Amino acid sequence: MNPQKVLIITYYWPPAGGPGVQRWLKFVKYLPEFGIEPIVYCPENPNYPIIDKSLVNEVPKAITILKQPIKEPYQLASFFSKKSSKKISSGVIPKAKKQSLIERLMLYVRGNFFIPDARKNWIKPSVTFLSKYIEKHQIETIITTGPPHSLHVIGLQLKQKLRVKWITDFRDPWTTIGYHKALKLSKASAQKHLHLESQVLNSADSIIVTSNHTKNEFSTKTRQPISVITNGYDNHSVRVEGKDEKFTLSHIGSLLSERNPKILWEVLSELISENEAFSKAFQLNLIGVVSDDVLESIHNSDLKNHVNRVGYVSHDEAIKYQMASRLLLLIEIDSEDTKAIIPGKLFEYLISETPILAIGPEDSDVQQIITKTNTGVYFNYHQKETLKTQILSYFDAYLSNNLNVHAIGLQPYSRKALTKRLSEVIKESL
């Protein structure tokens, strides 16, 4: 029996770095084991804010990869302000009162002239190219993954034009995502986003989301079937000699302006001031992009001498930091909207054999996963004293060489198990 061909339309693909590329890179790796032949369509000349060339080695050799040129406004915007363009394209949006004139202008233009997003100019040429390819190669199923949500519009137009089954994969929500509110949208522009979102949700044959909160939100907007398939972890061969000598608390990934846990900085500052042993042993590792607002808060809390600012590293290097650290830090914005966000790094944290210290909105999907898997402790932004007590407890365990984690129930989050669920959704859509 010949494998079923599925066309996957994605913006992020190696050498892109960051969590956006990991999801479908791993799905593509395992789909052939479930009788599905993935064909990937991605940009030929994208403006990726983060590059990780090591991920190119993980792309399966046997799969077909289609590429077409893309024109992006960030390439033009960089002529005016390369720094601001790179910040905004990577999602680092300064607080409104700290935005420069050029940043405010770029956000207004991005939000109101590029709907649904800055990749809108790729829609028309992609539909033209893919229409011919789909008919020629008798593709029955297409999958679009976003953000960027322009790719869902590509799927929408292909669905309207051809007799093809269409599955949408929402790695994040659309109109309720935090950065959406920072785009300085006019009422007309906001309405256009809502209209496009509604069209996509009600035209797709099946919808995939990464969290239960997003499923609940979309269930109020469409009657189409919705499946929750989270991100996950994959087996790796990375090894470290042992845990760090210092009492390291490591955050891997972007710390954006709104993802700024001042409650944590205050607690750490107090512990350093009150506990000499803690002061000598503690180190905060920041691995990834960190906004100026977050750095300012850290420095204002007199933590500067305890910070190891590493910057962006390759995926393998990030895993090494996870495995060697004494504690792993997971931060989400204190907002109703962010309860649905499950960072991809959480699942790699789960298998790192390192306790997770998480801070975010109450009753989030992240809180449920950490609690269910017994991999750490989760706090909201109003639990300063219990947060302080927990960190001190972790430090005491570190001093006695007894800081461990005993994870349970991780197998459902393996990339292979998740791909099996994806294959079932694909087959159900036919």
Side-chain angles (χ1 to χ4, degrees):
M1 185 176 178
N2 292 328
Q4 179 185 345
K5 293 181 180 179
V6 174
L7 176 66
I8 298 159
I9 303 170
T10 180
Y11 177 78
Y12 294 104
W13 192 253
V21 69
Q22 294 282 336
R23 181 172 173 83
W24 282 93
L25 178 60
K26 301 301 183 179
F27 281 149
V28 165
K29 174 183 176 180
Y30 290 114
L31 275 173
E33 295 186 28
F34 300 99
I36 294 171
E37 179 188 340
I39 300 165
V40 175
Y41 174 74
C42 59
E44 185 178 82
N45 56 326
N47 185 45
Y48 293 141
I50 299 173
I51 299 293
D52 186 348
K53 292 182 180 178
S54 69
L55 294 179
V56 174
N57 299 325
E58 295 192 34
V59 178
K61 306 298 182 188
I63 69 162
T64 300
I65 301 176
L66 311 172
K67 295 186 178 183
Q68 285 290 294
I70 185 172
K71 293 181 180 179
E72 301 184 71
Y74 294 124
Q75 295 165 339
L76 176 62
S78 65
F79 285 110
F80 298 97
S81 177
K82 189 172 184 178
K83 183 179 179 182
S84 295
S85 175
K86 188 171 183 179
K87 271 187 181 181
I88 291 172
S89 68
S90 63
V92 180
I93 300 176
K95 291 183 178 179
K97 62 182 180 181
K98 293 189 176 182
Q99 291 169 7
S100 66
L101 179 61
I102 188 69
E103 285 169 340
R104 291 199 297 271
L105 178 61
M106 287 172 70
L107 286 168
Y108 180 83
V109 171
R110 154 68 179 88
N112 295 281
F113 291 88
F114 293 91
I115 298 175
D117 50 58
R119 282 83 189 191
K120 63 169 288 188
N121 290 332
W122 202 45
I123 297 172
K124 185 175 180 180
S126 294
V127 171
T128 300
F129 172 80
L130 291 176
S131 294
K132 296 175 183 176
Y133 187 90
I134 289 168
E135 290 190 323
K136 181 179 179 181
H137 295 272
Q138 298 180 319
I139 307 294
E140 296 181 340
T141 304
I142 63 171
I143 301 175
T144 56
T145 177
H149 299 301
S150 284
L151 277 71
H152 294 318
V153 180
I154 293 173
L156 175 66
Q157 293 188 13
L158 288 172
K159 175 69 177 177
Q160 293 169 339
K161 190 174 182 180
L162 306 171
R163 300 180 68 178
V164 65
K165 294 294 182 179
W166 172 36
I167 300 170
T168 60
D169 173 57
F170 283 86
R171 301 190 313 277
D172 288 321
W174 188 328
T175 56
T176 57
I177 192 74
Y179 65 76
H180 192 78
K181 298 174 182 177
L183 294 177
K184 306 184 188 302
L185 299 175
S186 67
K187 287 185 178 180
S189 296
Q191 200 59 42
K192 286 180 182 178
H193 276 282
L194 288 169
H195 177 67
L196 275 176
E197 179 189 53
S198 178
Q199 275 192 298
V200 167
L201 290 176
N202 288 286
S203 300
D205 294 285
S206 186
I207 299 162
I208 298 171
V209 296
T210 57
S211 74
N212 288 311
H213 274 89
T214 304
K215 179 178 180 178
N216 293 339
E217 176 200 336
F218 283 178
S219 294
T220 67
K221 300 177 178 182
T222 183
R223 293 185 177 180
Q224 299 300 88
I226 304 173
S227 303
V228 177
I229 303 179
T230 65
N231 288 308
Y233 67 84
D234 203 8
N235 297 324
H236 61 76
S237 58
V238 177
R239 296 290 179 266
V240 294
E241 293 183 5
K243 291 290 186 181
D244 296 329
E245 287 189 18
K246 281 185 169 289
F247 181 57
T248 45
L249 172 63
S250 299
H251 182 276
I252 289 105
S254 299
L255 271 178
L256 311 182
S257 296
E258 297 301 323
R259 195 177 290 151
N260 186 7
K262 294 180 181 179
I263 179 178
L264 175 62
W265 313 144
E266 291 172 9
V267 163
L268 293 173
S269 180
E270 290 175 11
L271 287 171
I272 288 168
S273 175
E274 298 165 0
N275 189 317
E276 185 177 354
F278 187 93
S279 178
K280 288 181 178 179
F282 177 71
Q283 179 174 296
L284 176 64
N285 290 333
L286 301 177
I287 299 102
V289 178
V290 184
S291 79
D292 293 339
D293 293 317
V294 174
L295 289 173
E296 183 180 331
S297 293
I298 291 172
H299 292 171
N300 288 343
S301 298
D302 294 325
L303 298 175
K304 187 175 182 180
N305 293 333
H306 298 270
V307 173
N308 175 30
R309 188 181 173 194
V310 179
Y312 182 79
V313 298
S314 71
H315 185 234
D316 283 354
E317 285 297 311
I319 291 174
K320 288 181 181 179
Y321 275 103
Q322 291 169 20
M323 296 174 68
S325 295
R326 296 291 183 162
L327 290 176
L328 291 172
L329 180 59
L330 189 68
I331 301 295
E332 196 43 83
I333 299 168
D334 187 20
S335 164
E336 186 71 25
D337 296 341
T338 58
K339 290 182 178 181
I341 304 301
I342 308 177
K345 64 177 169 251
L346 168 63
F347 301 96
E348 291 183 342
Y349 277 17
L350 297 182
I351 62 166
S352 66
E353 299 182 347
T354 307
I356 301 168
L357 182 71
I359 302 174
E362 194 168 355
D363 191 33
S364 69
D365 283 81
V366 168
Q367 182 177 9
Q368 294 171 17
I369 291 173
I370 290 176
T371 302
K372 185 178 179 180
T373 57
N374 193 42
T375 47
V377 185
Y378 187 98
F379 296 90
N380 64 45
Y381 281 78
H382 308 287
Q383 295 178 289
K384 179 178 176 180
E385 290 308 314
T386 49
L387 173 62
K388 185 175 181 179
T389 300
Q390 181 62 57
I391 294 175
L392 198 54
S393 175
Y394 277 141
F395 181 62
D396 289 340
Y398 154 80
L399 290 176
S400 61
N401 200 29
N402 193 34
L403 182 51
N404 303 306
V405 64
H406 303 285
I408 57 175
L410 298 185
Q411 200 278 332
Y413 300 110
S414 72
R415 294 286 189 182
K416 192 169 183 177
L418 294 165
T419 306
K420 181 181 179 182
R421 177 70 188 112
L422 171 64
S423 71
E424 292 167 355
V425 172
I426 292 171
K427 291 168 183 176
E428 288 167 3
S429 71
L430 292 177

